[in-house]
Amino acid sequence: MGKPGLLIDYEWCTGCHSCEMACKAEHGFGEGQCGIKLHKNGPWQIKEDKWEYAFIPIPTSLCDMCADRVAEGRVPTCVHHCQALVMEFGDVEELAKKMDKKQKVLFIPCD
Ligand code: SF4
Ligand code: SF4
């Protein structure tokens, strides 16, 4: 695999915080620290029949793409624990090919 990445289809993110909690537990991060942080857009009205209301998990600079787990052949713990199955781990070039709508975001680790 080349450079690893995380693809998140946030259209279907339920805002459950499981990714945050799993990441925190796996890495033993202290209070206020996390490798991924859930953000919320809205709710606000865009037009009469359309609202903006979305949860968007965003990896932080503490995210190491779960290098230890991946070295053992496992997927990152956030991906493993996402109940809505909206997170995908893989080669960033391959994941980029799946960027087919506005509500998807693709992250690569900080150097
Ligand atoms: S890939 Fe690992 S370190 Fe990065 S956000 Fe997910 S659980 Fe945290
Ligand atoms: S675990 Fe999945 S559904 Fe829950 S907040 Fe994270 S990305 Fe969204």
Side-chain angles (χ1 to χ4, degrees):
M1 184 170 71
K3 200 171 178 71
L6 269 183
L7 178 65
I8 303 176
D9 183 350
Y10 73 83
E11 181 179 7
W12 306 110
C13 170
T14 63
C16 70
H17 292 270
S18 295
C19 50
E20 274 182 4
M21 294 300 107
C23 179
K24 214 171 163 59
E26 177 89 15
H27 294 84
F29 292 138
E31 192 176 338
Q33 293 185 321
C34 50
I36 189 164
K37 178 84 180 131
L38 192 63
H39 294 263
K40 190 175 80 156
N41 279 357
W44 64 71
Q45 194 161 16
I46 298 169
K47 55 186 182 183
E48 193 174 316
D49 60 347
K50 192 167 181 197
W51 287 74
E52 172 79 25
Y53 191 26
F55 296 100
I56 309 168
I58 300 179
T60 73
S61 54
L62 288 175
C63 171
D64 66 351
M65 290 279 157
C66 283
D68 291 347
R69 285 177 62 97
V70 170
E72 294 170 354
R74 297 188 291 164
V75 296
T77 194
C78 56
V79 174
H80 180 71
H81 286 92
C82 177
Q83 308 280 315
L85 304 177
V86 302
M87 307 182 78
E88 185 177 347
F89 173 77
D91 182 291
V92 75
E93 300 290 336
E94 293 304 312
L95 294 176
K97 295 175 187 166
K98 300 181 181 180
M99 289 289 288
D100 53 4
K101 66 178 181 182
K102 199 160 66 174
Q103 298 97 333
K104 281 187 178 176
V105 286
L106 178 57
F107 296 101
I108 56 175
C110 301
D111 291 324

